[in-house]
Amino acid sequence: MTVASVSRCLALLEFLAGERDLVELSELASGLNMPVSAAHRLVTTLANLGWVIQDTASKQYALSLKMSTLAFRHLDACNVSDVVQSILNRVATETHECCRLAVLENRELVWVARAQGATTGLRYDPDMGQGIALYATASGKAWLCTLPEEQALAIVYSRGFESPHKLGPNSAHCIDEFRLQLAEARQLGFATSVEEGEAGTAAVAVPFRASSAHNALAAGTISVAGPLIRITPDRWHELADALKAAATELAQIWPAKTRARCLG
């Protein structure tokens, strides 16, 4: 299989992963910018391998559960499900908000686990499949704060700023604006996002390190997010304290988690 074929397969899987409904072959071809015949060969191959299913009545396509199964298997191998989840559950219970864990991979943050602590009123249940805009989320800023400023700004600048309609109304629109937000996060000792990643929501986040050593690199972030009316500035320090305590625990168990992963 050529590199181009692998790229097309992955693009097709990513396209289907973002669709809630069944997809027509023509829609699939259009979305992937390829001829219908090529899309048909590709999706047929993936269906034969169990990655895609085709509805017998409509002949439309959807992603199978094979990728989800592999994802959960991978999380189990990383000990995320059993070791880390208990920490997230405790923070969610203490704060009565949604607590999430993001792990650093190839200079990107990826959501891997969450716990819901809101039992009454409004609930914030974010899509765990969404990408993390580093400059517009508390988690992104929390990680970037662990880097030298020049490196952090270079990472954000190289990726550009997304269209405002995709994010919240308060998201930064240029590197100078983001520099001020990053400086504020460094001064506070934790990162916040107020209607930046998403309208109507706010979040607080801190990084956690790959070990308890003072100079250990960041391994990811832990955050609390919820409706804007509840994640107010007067709660920021309280939430940050709960997150910092959890980050200390994560730093203590992360080396063991990493060793378990390496041992397979």
Side-chain angles (χ1 to χ4, degrees):
M1 182 177 289
T2 65
V3 173
S5 297
V6 173
S7 297
R8 286 194 293 267
C9 284
L10 293 176
L12 188 148
L13 292 174
E14 289 181 355
F15 182 88
L16 289 177
E19 298 295 323
R20 295 182 180 273
D21 301 320
L22 293 167
V23 177
E24 294 275 1
L25 178 61
S26 58
E27 182 183 352
L28 190 60
S30 176
L32 297 174
N33 193 26
M34 65 171 63
V36 173
S37 58
H40 182 260
R41 287 195 300 271
L42 191 60
V43 76
T44 300
T45 300
L46 290 172
N48 291 337
L49 294 173
W51 292 94
V52 171
I53 58 174
Q54 183 182 33
D55 180 65
T56 54
S58 67
K59 303 301 181 182
Q60 295 174 325
Y61 297 93
L63 200 65
S64 74
L65 293 178
K66 188 170 184 176
M67 183 175 290
S68 300
T69 301
L70 289 179
F72 283 120
R73 188 188 304 170
H74 176 64
L75 291 179
D76 285 340
C78 295
N79 287 343
V80 170
S81 298
D82 51 359
V83 178
V84 176
Q85 192 63 51
S86 61
I87 297 176
L88 298 185
N89 291 343
R90 189 189 70 243
V91 175
T93 300
E94 289 177 359
T95 62
H96 303 290
E97 302 294 351
C98 179
C99 180
R100 288 185 289 178
L101 183 85
V103 171
L104 186 63
E105 186 172 86
N106 297 327
R107 300 213 309 177
E108 295 281 359
L109 286 172
V110 181
W111 300 121
V112 296
R114 70 175 172 183
Q116 179 58 260
T119 56
T120 59
L122 293 173
R123 284 167 55 105
Y124 177 56
D125 289 307
D127 180 2
M128 291 288 281
Q130 284 185 338
I132 301 177
L134 297 179
Y135 72 91
T137 58
S139 290
K141 287 186 277 188
W143 170 57
L144 291 171
C145 277
T146 68
L147 305 176
E149 182 178 280
E150 183 178 349
Q151 183 180 354
L153 295 178
I155 290 173
V156 171
Y157 184 78
S158 67
R159 297 174 189 187
F161 293 85
E162 297 181 22
S163 301
H165 71 274
K166 295 182 179 179
L167 300 170
N170 295 332
S171 62
H173 295 87
C174 65
I175 200 68
D176 289 333
E177 189 177 349
F178 174 71
R179 179 187 283 112
L180 295 176
Q181 294 180 358
L182 197 62
E184 180 184 16
R186 292 184 192 277
Q187 183 177 6
L188 288 172
F190 56 87
T192 63
S193 173
V194 180
E195 289 199 298
E196 295 174 47
E198 189 176 347
T201 65
V204 176
V206 302
F208 69 89
R209 299 187 180 274
S211 77
S212 55
H214 176 70
N215 60 348
L217 296 176
T221 64
I222 182 169
S223 62
V224 166
L228 189 62
I229 60 172
R230 287 206 304 265
I231 309 294
T232 51
D234 61 303
R235 292 189 67 198
W236 286 357
H237 287 277
E238 164 209 337
L239 297 174
D241 287 344
L243 291 170
K244 288 177 180 178
T248 299
E249 290 185 67
L250 289 169
Q252 292 170 346
I253 67 172
W254 211 255
K257 185 201 77 64
T258 302
R259 285 196 297 274
R261 179 178 181 180
C262 291
L263 291 172

